[in-house]
Amino acid sequence: MNAYLTLGSVALFLALVAAVAVALWYRRRNDRRTHSLHQLLELADCLEGDLKTCRAGLQQAHAVMSLNPDLPAASEQEARHAIEAGLRSLLQQRIWIRDQAPRASQDQLDRAVSNMIETRSRLGPLLKALDQAQHALDDAMREHIIQRGPEA
């Protein structure tokens, strides 16, 4: 009788260990999905901010350049279209997040996060260059004003 009781206790213990292991696996999986979804949403917000910063900087630069016909004109229309295309692409990504992400595999979520990180990393140097160009343009405009004098 004691052998059956001990065997039953061991089997019950093993069943409990297996149940705990499965519960921990599901919890870890769920936590990872939740983290990926939050990361996707946060990255989308950051990317939108980057694109809007870029758009504002380009608008400001084009406004300054339009005041001085001596400065080389850049293609304002092309720049505007590029930014708008980026914002449209981001909107499509947000729609995917809303509609597909809850049912997406972890691999799909990981790829979406990776793509968003890659996009932001490619946009980063462009934003930095735009900021530097804006400073150079501001300096050039100040120099131009000083050369022409206050009466111009």
Side-chain angles (χ1 to χ4, degrees):
M1 180 88 174
N2 282 342
Y4 288 119
L5 187 58
T6 305
L7 188 58
S9 297
V10 169
L12 181 60
F13 176 74
L14 290 176
L16 286 173
V17 167
V20 168
V22 168
L24 288 174
W25 179 81
Y26 275 113
R27 179 168 182 155
R28 182 179 167 143
R29 180 177 169 253
N30 189 44
D31 288 349
R32 185 172 175 210
R33 287 185 63 76
T34 300
H35 174 73
S36 294
L37 288 170
H38 285 273
Q39 190 176 14
L40 266 175
L41 293 171
E42 184 177 310
L43 285 166
D45 290 344
C46 292
L47 184 56
E48 182 176 3
D50 292 345
L51 288 167
K52 287 182 176 181
T53 297
C54 189
R55 179 174 57 190
L58 287 171
Q59 286 172 340
Q60 182 180 1
H62 288 295
V64 169
M65 288 187 300
S66 70
L67 295 176
N68 186 354
D70 296 338
L71 292 175
S75 177
E76 181 178 1
Q77 191 76 357
E78 284 180 29
R80 187 178 312 131
H81 286 317
I83 298 297
E84 295 306 319
L87 287 168
R88 278 191 303 278
S89 178
L90 179 60
L91 177 60
Q92 290 174 337
Q93 184 68 25
R94 285 187 186 273
I95 291 170
W96 182 88
I97 293 168
R98 182 195 68 199
D99 296 343
Q100 303 300 320
R103 292 180 301 282
S105 69
Q106 186 62 49
D107 185 53
Q108 289 172 313
L109 293 174
D110 291 343
R111 276 184 278 148
V113 167
S114 177
N115 289 339
M116 192 98 49
I117 289 171
E118 183 181 326
T119 299
R120 285 202 71 219
S121 69
R122 284 192 324 259
L123 191 56
L126 298 174
L127 284 168
K128 186 175 180 180
L130 178 62
D131 186 54
Q132 290 171 344
Q134 184 65 49
H135 288 298
L137 185 58
D138 291 344
D139 291 345
M141 284 303 295
R142 276 192 290 280
E143 183 66 31
H144 180 74
I145 291 169
I146 290 171
Q147 287 177 355
R148 291 181 67 194
E151 67 279 346

Short mmCIF file of all heavy atoms in Angstrom, two decimals, residues 2-18:
data_model
loop_
_atom_site.label_atom_id
_atom_site.label_comp_id
_atom_site.label_asym_id
_atom_site.label_seq_id
_atom_site.Cartn_x
_atom_site.Cartn_y
_atom_site.Cartn_z
N ASN A 2 1.94 1.27 0.80
CA ASN A 2 2.83 2.42 0.86
C ASN A 2 3.52 2.67 -0.47
O ASN A 2 3.78 3.82 -0.84
CB ASN A 2 3.88 2.22 1.96
CG ASN A 2 3.32 2.49 3.34
OD1 ASN A 2 2.28 3.12 3.46
ND2 ASN A 2 3.99 2.00 4.36
N ALA A 3 3.85 1.61 -1.20
CA ALA A 3 4.49 1.76 -2.51
C ALA A 3 3.54 2.45 -3.47
O ALA A 3 3.95 3.30 -4.26
CB ALA A 3 4.92 0.40 -3.06
N TYR A 4 2.25 2.08 -3.42
CA TYR A 4 1.27 2.73 -4.29
C TYR A 4 1.07 4.20 -3.90
O TYR A 4 0.93 5.07 -4.74
CB TYR A 4 -0.08 2.00 -4.25
CG TYR A 4 -0.05 0.69 -4.96
CD1 TYR A 4 -0.31 -0.49 -4.27
CD2 TYR A 4 0.25 0.62 -6.32
CE1 TYR A 4 -0.29 -1.70 -4.91
CE2 TYR A 4 0.27 -0.60 -6.96
CZ TYR A 4 0.01 -1.76 -6.26
OH TYR A 4 0.03 -2.94 -6.91
N LEU A 5 1.07 4.48 -2.63
CA LEU A 5 0.92 5.84 -2.14
C LEU A 5 2.12 6.68 -2.55
O LEU A 5 1.97 7.81 -3.01
CB LEU A 5 0.76 5.84 -0.62
CG LEU A 5 0.43 7.16 0.04
CD1 LEU A 5 -0.87 7.73 -0.52
CD2 LEU A 5 0.32 7.01 1.54
N THR A 6 3.31 6.16 -2.43
CA THR A 6 4.52 6.86 -2.82
C THR A 6 4.54 7.06 -4.33
O THR A 6 4.88 8.14 -4.82
CB THR A 6 5.76 6.09 -2.37
OG1 THR A 6 5.67 5.86 -0.98
CG2 THR A 6 7.02 6.86 -2.68
N LEU A 7 4.19 6.04 -5.08
CA LEU A 7 4.15 6.15 -6.54
C LEU A 7 3.11 7.19 -6.97
O LEU A 7 3.36 7.99 -7.86
CB LEU A 7 3.85 4.78 -7.16
CG LEU A 7 3.96 4.68 -8.66
CD1 LEU A 7 5.34 5.07 -9.14
CD2 LEU A 7 3.62 3.28 -9.12
N GLY A 8 1.99 7.20 -6.30
CA GLY A 8 0.95 8.18 -6.60
C GLY A 8 1.40 9.59 -6.26
O GLY A 8 1.12 10.55 -6.99
N SER A 9 2.12 9.73 -5.16
CA SER A 9 2.65 11.05 -4.77
C SER A 9 3.66 11.55 -5.78
O SER A 9 3.67 12.73 -6.14
CB SER A 9 3.30 10.97 -3.39
OG SER A 9 2.36 10.63 -2.41
N VAL A 10 4.53 10.68 -6.27
CA VAL A 10 5.53 11.05 -7.26
C VAL A 10 4.84 11.46 -8.56
O VAL A 10 5.20 12.47 -9.19
CB VAL A 10 6.54 9.90 -7.49
CG1 VAL A 10 7.42 10.17 -8.69
CG2 VAL A 10 7.38 9.70 -6.25
N ALA A 11 3.85 10.69 -8.97
CA ALA A 11 3.12 11.01 -10.20
C ALA A 11 2.40 12.35 -10.08
O ALA A 11 2.41 13.16 -11.02
CB ALA A 11 2.12 9.90 -10.52
N LEU A 12 1.79 12.60 -8.92
CA LEU A 12 1.10 13.87 -8.69
C LEU A 12 2.10 15.02 -8.70
O LEU A 12 1.86 16.07 -9.30
CB LEU A 12 0.35 13.84 -7.36
CG LEU A 12 -0.43 15.09 -6.98
CD1 LEU A 12 -1.50 15.39 -8.04
CD2 LEU A 12 -1.08 14.93 -5.62
N PHE A 13 3.26 14.81 -8.07
CA PHE A 13 4.31 15.83 -8.05
C PHE A 13 4.78 16.14 -9.48
O PHE A 13 4.93 17.30 -9.86
CB PHE A 13 5.47 15.38 -7.16
CG PHE A 13 6.62 16.34 -7.18
CD1 PHE A 13 6.55 17.55 -6.50
CD2 PHE A 13 7.78 16.05 -7.89
CE1 PHE A 13 7.60 18.45 -6.52
CE2 PHE A 13 8.84 16.93 -7.91
CZ PHE A 13 8.75 18.14 -7.23
N LEU A 14 5.03 15.11 -10.27
CA LEU A 14 5.47 15.31 -11.65
C LEU A 14 4.40 16.01 -12.48
O LEU A 14 4.72 16.87 -13.33
CB LEU A 14 5.85 13.97 -12.29
CG LEU A 14 7.13 13.32 -11.74
CD1 LEU A 14 7.35 11.95 -12.37
CD2 LEU A 14 8.33 14.22 -11.97
N ALA A 15 3.17 15.69 -12.25
CA ALA A 15 2.08 16.35 -12.98
C ALA A 15 2.02 17.83 -12.60
O ALA A 15 1.82 18.70 -13.47
CB ALA A 15 0.75 15.67 -12.67
N LEU A 16 2.21 18.15 -11.33
CA LEU A 16 2.22 19.54 -10.89
C LEU A 16 3.41 20.29 -11.48
O LEU A 16 3.27 21.44 -11.93
CB LEU A 16 2.26 19.62 -9.36
CG LEU A 16 0.95 19.29 -8.65
CD1 LEU A 16 1.17 19.25 -7.13
CD2 LEU A 16 -0.11 20.31 -9.01
N VAL A 17 4.57 19.66 -11.51
CA VAL A 17 5.75 20.29 -12.09
C VAL A 17 5.52 20.58 -13.58
O VAL A 17 5.84 21.65 -14.08
CB VAL A 17 7.01 19.42 -11.88
CG1 VAL A 17 8.18 19.88 -12.74
CG2 VAL A 17 7.40 19.41 -10.41
N ALA A 18 4.93 19.62 -14.28
CA ALA A 18 4.64 19.80 -15.70
C ALA A 18 3.64 20.94 -15.91
O ALA A 18 3.79 21.77 -16.82
CB ALA A 18 4.12 18.51 -16.32
#
